[in-house]
Amino acid sequence: MATDILMPQLGESVTEGTISRWLKQPGDTISKYEPICEVETDKVVAEVPAVVEGVLKEIVVSEGETVEVGTLIARIGEVGQVNSEQEVQMISSPSETKKKEDAVQEKEDSMKHRYSPAVLRLAQEHQIDLAQIKGSGAGGRITRKDVMRVIEQGNSQPEAVSTPDVESPITLHKESKAPERKEENPSIAQRKGTKPSTLALENGDIEVPVTAVRRTIANRMVMSVHEAPHAWLMMEADVTGLVSLRNRLKGEFLQREGVPLSFVPFFIKAVVDSLKEYPQLNSVWANDKIILKKRINISIAVSTEESLFVPVIHDADEKSILGLAKDVHRLAQKARSGKLELSDMQGGTFTVNNTGSFGSIASGPIINHPQAAILSFESIAKRPMVQNDAIAIRDMMNLCMSIDHRILDGYLAGKFLSRVKERLESYHPDVQI
Amino acid sequence: MPVMSYIDAVTLALKEEMERDSKVFVLGEDVGVRGGVFRATVGLYEQFGEDRVLDTPLTESAIVGVAIGAAAYGLRPVAEMQFADFIMPAVNQIISEASKLRYRSNGNWECPLVIRAPYGGGVHGALYHSQSVEKIFTGVPGLKIVMPASPYDVKGLLKAAIRDNDPVLFFEHKRCYRAIKEEVPLEDYTVPIGKAAVKREGTDVTVISYGLTLHYSLEAAKSLEQEGIDVHVLDLRTLVPLDKEAILEATAKTGKVLIIHEDNKTGGFAGEVASVIAEEAFFELDAPIRRLCGPDVPAMPYSPILEKEFMLTPEKIATAIRELAEF
């Protein structure tokens, strides 16, 4: 008895997914809920857990392939069910045949990187990554026909494959963006796949395979830097009062609420209140218009060893310091244990980045596309400052903000940042939260 | 519309043009009473008399020299070389006189001359009755060079050549004379000189050829259909002036070009076609331009086995196309 594993639906309006990596190979034993593969959609990268325990019998959809939700991707068989039929299957299991194919391919790949003028021209004109095309010519050469086929395929299914990580709030405006998108993402192969490097390895170099999450981060960063002209500004805030306040409250807070009181909720609160004054900062560039977002959903950057997640505190303007503290704690925990859900990731309108947590004193953050700005709170340090014409020891912190210069100019950004600064400086040890 | 052979189309074109214009006359070895060794001028002597169908001495230099003089004088001579191999004594007249007459007289004189010459092998003609001689003339400005493959084109192009006011070399593949037949209208029509024709549409490999090998190419293309190889075939029809546009268009169809002619490869006309493509369609190319031509040996061998080895065949062409398709 084998159990069919289908492509799961990873979020609303998601109709297809790409198998980015198989974590298990045919023959591997699988316990229940153990992830068997990574699936990547436009919105999220997720692991698909096994619904039963058993042995992975067969991989139906191979890495890099994109299939519709509900498509059979693998079969899991029962443990110990090693009958003759299965033995036969094991011998000719995909990994085995793949090895054989690889050996043959090595020989036949001699022409893979020999591109004809026609192929290079077409690839350039249609922005196709040749590394993603399988050549049908002699020695694995990519022929003109191979490229034409990719062009035709690309044209025949433009919308389904070329919707980028447009988050649900702005799907309304997809239409106005569509033509541009098409040019940006002409081929499925280029967008979905990994691009083999042409860099030569030297002795002692270590190759680290790029995980699906890493690749998603890379793609989004490139998209943001490529699309939005970043401008950067920094202000200095005297947070002596805030530091004293937190020091006074933190022990009691942890005891009472069960979550630690960090500076982050205060940062978010200052940002949220300032966004209310300057809604232009809480907006999205939509080519022919700028959309000022009603909801204030704050994305917070959470780092793990190898990844960066940006979960969202929805309607942050409706929350107190306590509510924000709990949300921050909850999302950070989820991110670090890899349990973020799709809904945790969607809808952000402004990003807060706590770079101070690892000692940074100034940073130039990359905007979380398609938001208008990102604000980094740098580390707090005691510094000698001039106060009332005397030197005083104060807790100082830098605020670093990157803005999408299409939407915002320095003047407005400066006013906004000043208000954040003022709010942070207005705290003193006796404030009630 | 009657079906006629390649050579019947030659005869018909000559007859019609002689009827149409009294300035047109033919001259050559045995073209009169004998009607030509290939029977290309059969019936003309009877219809038009010895003044317009001249049997000449075995002196090609004189045949062409006399024709140039007559053309300069205002007549429209059609000179026949019994075999293209025998054109050599007339080369000086063709290259030094006919090709240059208009230019050296600053346009005051013209030379409306046609030289017909049966060429090509595969007819057990051995060394002196099998040569392809086009490459001697293709690099000489001032000459037009027409090499039709089919009866329809023969009639239309020969008539166009006779009406042309400059010297035209009209090369007829003698293997085609009786082997190639098709419907030819009895009405008057011409086929423009300098225009190639697409004989078959395809997407995998483009074959560019002319003359007998054009037919072999079409046969090869047909046999490759079953293998799923889709061949595009272009008949040049005229080598000079060359229809570059058609060549570039045909190249763009597939990006893989095979140029085929019976003339030997080195210095052959395929080199010129390949150069045009390399110069003007580089970014259309998906494979190296290939040439399939006669071998670089001094002449057609007499031995039937060796002649077979020399000649191109549909099989040899199919192999070359297949290689290019798989590239």
Side-chain angles (χ1 to χ4, degrees):
Chain A
M1 276 295 291
T3 308
D4 289 348
I5 307 296
L6 309 179
M7 173 62 76
Q9 173 143 23
L10 298 163
E12 275 176 45
S13 81
V14 173
T15 56
E16 56 173 21
T18 307
I19 304 284
S20 51
R21 196 151 62 103
W22 278 104
L23 304 170
K24 297 287 173 188
Q25 291 304 318
D28 288 356
T29 317
I30 299 164
S31 43
K32 199 171 176 182
Y33 300 132
E34 196 180 357
I36 56 168
C37 68
E38 280 180 358
V39 172
E40 191 182 340
T41 71
D42 290 327
K43 292 185 176 172
V44 75
V45 179
E47 287 172 344
V48 175
V51 290
V52 294
E53 65 168 15
V55 174
L56 185 60
K57 272 184 86 170
E58 187 190 353
I59 287 175
V60 180
V61 177
S62 46
E63 284 180 13
E65 271 188 61
T66 304
V67 294
E68 278 184 27
V69 169
T71 307
L72 176 70
I73 57 172
R75 284 198 185 88
I76 295 177
E78 280 171 33
V79 188
Q81 183 210 21
V82 183
N83 51 30
S84 56
E85 179 205 346
Q86 200 176 8
E87 263 174 331
V88 173
Q89 252 176 344
M90 301 288 273
I91 290 162
S92 63
S93 66
S95 62
E96 281 281 313
T97 30
K98 199 166 172 264
K99 263 181 227 159
K100 270 184 231 160
E101 270 170 24
D102 284 350
V104 178
Q105 228 164 10
E106 229 164 81
K107 245 186 269 167
E108 290 176 351
D109 269 3
S110 58
M111 292 288 283
K112 179 139 175 57
H113 299 295
R114 295 280 173 85
Y115 302 133
S116 72
V119 163
L120 279 177
R121 179 180 57 81
L122 287 170
Q124 197 177 27
E125 282 174 3
H126 297 269
Q127 290 172 293
I128 286 166
D129 181 1
L130 291 173
Q132 304 306 315
I133 300 178
K134 198 167 158 36
S136 68
R141 195 184 72 90
I142 295 166
T143 65
R144 197 177 80 136
K145 276 201 157 180
D146 294 334
V147 182
M148 307 256 270
R149 210 168 294 132
V150 170
I151 294 169
E152 274 165 34
Q153 279 169 3
N155 289 344
S156 64
Q157 37 177 296
E159 191 57 359
V161 297
S162 68
T163 313
D165 84 292
V166 179
E167 289 171 298
S168 45
I170 57 159
T171 41
L172 278 174
H173 306 280
K174 239 199 253 178
E175 219 167 293
S176 60
K177 285 186 160 193
E180 198 198 32
R181 295 280 177 223
K182 233 179 256 177
E183 277 168 39
E184 280 167 20
N185 298 313
S187 86
I188 325 157
Q190 182 200 25
R191 212 176 57 75
K192 299 260 170 173
T194 48
K195 196 188 286 185
S197 167
T198 50
L199 295 178
L201 282 179
E202 286 172 27
N203 266 350
D205 291 355
I206 297 169
E207 275 187 295
V208 179
V210 173
T211 62
V213 173
R214 192 73 244 162
R215 191 155 62 237
T216 306
I217 294 172
N219 289 343
R220 292 192 181 186
M221 293 301 166
V222 168
M223 186 195 287
S224 176
V225 171
H226 179 75
E227 257 190 40
H230 283 55
W232 182 83
L233 66 162
M234 177 165 91
M235 284 188 189
E236 195 177 35
D238 181 339
V239 291
T240 313
L242 177 61
V243 170
S244 322
L245 175 66
R246 178 188 171 248
N247 283 341
R248 183 173 71 78
L249 295 176
K250 67 180 179 188
E252 182 200 335
F253 190 92
L254 179 60
Q255 212 165 21
R256 191 179 66 222
E257 309 295 346
V259 295
L261 179 64
S262 72
F263 288 109
V264 179
F266 296 95
F267 299 159
I268 295 172
K269 189 91 177 91
V271 165
V272 165
D273 292 344
S274 306
L275 285 175
K276 289 266 187 196
E277 283 178 63
Y278 296 100
Q280 293 89 339
L281 274 288
N282 196 51
S283 67
V284 165
W285 178 259
N287 283 334
D288 56 339
K289 64 195 126 206
I290 293 164
I291 301 162
L292 304 184
K293 304 298 295 176
K294 170 79 169 57
R295 292 178 74 183
I296 296 179
N297 302 327
I298 301 296
S299 306
I300 52 171
V302 179
S303 304
T304 65
E305 276 281 310
E306 68 271 356
S307 295
L308 171 68
F309 294 97
V310 201
V312 179
I313 299 174
H314 293 96
D315 303 311
D317 53 331
E318 296 171 6
K319 290 178 176 157
S320 63
I321 292 289
L322 171 61
L324 291 172
K326 286 191 165 172
D327 274 0
V328 169
H329 182 72
R330 176 179 60 86
L331 290 171
Q333 292 290 97
K334 277 178 113 173
R336 295 199 173 112
S337 55
K339 290 193 176 131
L340 283 173
E341 292 157 42
L342 186 62
S343 58
D344 292 328
M345 309 283 283
Q346 285 179 325
T349 59
F350 189 97
T351 300
V352 165
N353 199 4
N354 184 22
T355 44
S357 64
F358 45 80
S360 164
I361 55 159
S363 61
I366 293 174
I367 297 164
N368 186 4
H369 181 89
Q371 297 171 8
I374 180 168
L375 177 47
S376 287
F377 293 84
E378 305 295 343
S379 83
I380 299 170
K382 288 195 182 299
R383 293 193 194 287
M385 300 300 293
V386 177
Q387 204 176 25
N388 301 326
D389 284 345
I391 306 285
I393 305 300
R394 308 293 295 174
D395 289 297
M396 302 302 295
M397 175 178 69
N398 288 329
L399 310 174
C400 296
M401 185 163 78
S402 295
I403 57 166
D404 181 345
H405 217 319
R406 292 174 303 182
I407 304 176
L408 300 166
D409 300 316
Y411 177 72
L412 205 57
K415 288 191 100 165
F416 167 79
L417 197 54
S418 296
R419 290 298 289 141
V420 175
K421 168 187 154 90
E422 281 166 31
R423 287 198 154 88
L424 292 175
E425 289 180 342
S426 71
Y427 284 104
H428 55 86
D430 303 326
V431 169
Q432 293 302 310
I433 59 161
Chain B
M1 215 186 312
V3 170
M4 67 178 74
S5 65
Y6 190 104
I7 195 156
D8 289 341
V10 174
T11 313
L12 181 62
L14 289 172
K15 177 174 174 296
E16 285 181 10
E17 285 308 288
M18 290 175 80
E19 284 168 350
R20 186 188 61 82
D21 184 349
S22 61
K23 292 197 178 84
V24 178
F25 73 101
V26 300
L27 68 166
E29 295 156 10
D30 286 331
V31 298
V33 178
R34 171 89 175 96
V37 291
F38 290 101
R39 319 295 288 155
T41 52
V42 72
L44 299 183
Y45 181 85
E46 291 73 16
Q47 184 178 349
F48 300 102
E50 57 180 4
D51 288 346
R52 293 182 68 194
V53 188
L54 276 63
D55 279 322
T56 65
L58 305 185
T59 317
E60 284 76 13
S61 57
I63 297 171
V64 175
V66 165
I68 292 170
Y73 186 73
L75 297 179
R76 292 187 171 270
V78 182
E80 181 185 294
M81 303 286 104
Q82 198 169 74
F83 285 84
D85 312 63
F86 307 158
I87 206 168
M88 302 313 161
V91 168
N92 182 47
Q93 289 296 325
I94 297 168
I95 293 181
S96 301
E97 307 300 339
S99 74
K100 295 169 175 57
L101 194 55
R102 178 185 290 282
Y103 190 82
R104 82 186 236 231
S105 69
N106 209 16
N108 287 330
W109 294 77
E110 39 190 45
C111 188
L113 158 70
V114 177
I115 299 170
R116 291 181 41 247
Y119 76 103
V123 292
H124 313 301
L127 281 69
Y128 296 110
H129 301 80
S130 300
Q131 298 176 51
S132 299
V133 299
E134 60 267 30
K135 80 157 88 65
I136 296 170
F137 303 102
T138 48
V140 179
L143 300 174
K144 290 177 183 172
I145 299 172
V146 178
M147 303 191 74
S150 70
Y152 179 92
D153 288 345
V154 163
K155 182 181 165 186
L157 279 165
L158 184 51
K159 287 164 80 91
I162 291 169
R163 296 177 197 185
D164 197 282
N165 288 332
D166 289 297
V168 177
L169 298 185
F170 196 88
F171 291 120
E172 301 157 9
H173 199 293
K174 51 189 166 299
R175 184 72 196 269
C176 294
Y177 269 162
R178 307 275 167 200
I180 307 298
K181 295 188 173 79
E182 71 180 355
E183 287 191 339
V184 177
L186 291 174
E187 300 82 62
D188 180 45
Y189 68 90
T190 59
V191 171
I193 293 172
K195 286 276 172 216
V198 175
K199 291 289 172 175
R200 187 190 161 95
E201 295 272 353
T203 58
D204 288 315
V205 175
T206 295
V207 170
I208 300 177
S209 190
Y210 56 87
L212 179 65
T213 48
L214 186 272
H215 296 286
Y216 289 169
S217 301
L218 288 169
E219 269 183 61
K222 197 153 178 45
S223 73
L224 288 168
E225 262 174 25
Q226 290 135 358
E227 299 175 29
I229 299 173
D230 195 11
V231 187
H232 191 82
V233 182
L234 184 73
D235 179 3
L236 284 179
R237 302 199 292 194
T238 302
L239 304 194
V240 183
L242 184 59
D243 191 350
K244 289 186 185 181
E245 208 171 295
I247 290 171
L248 299 178
E249 239 172 69
T251 301
K253 286 271 178 191
T254 68
K256 294 177 173 180
V257 183
L258 174 64
I259 309 159
I260 304 175
H261 58 56
E262 187 181 313
D263 201 355
N264 66 300
K265 189 185 233 179
T266 303
F269 197 68
E272 183 60 29
V273 176
S275 301
V276 166
I277 295 168
E279 280 181 339
E280 297 181 37
F282 181 72
F283 292 106
E284 298 291 348
L285 289 177
D286 191 36
I289 304 168
R290 295 270 165 86
R291 291 180 289 170
L292 183 64
C293 310
D296 287 326
V297 295
M300 183 68 74
Y302 178 65
S303 149
I305 294 159
L306 290 179
E307 181 182 34
K308 208 177 152 201
E309 182 61 29
F310 183 108
M311 293 296 287
L312 295 179
T313 60
E315 292 73 30
K316 290 179 188 173
I317 292 172
T319 305
I321 295 173
R322 199 179 292 114
E323 275 175 19
L324 204 47
E326 285 164 1
F327 180 82

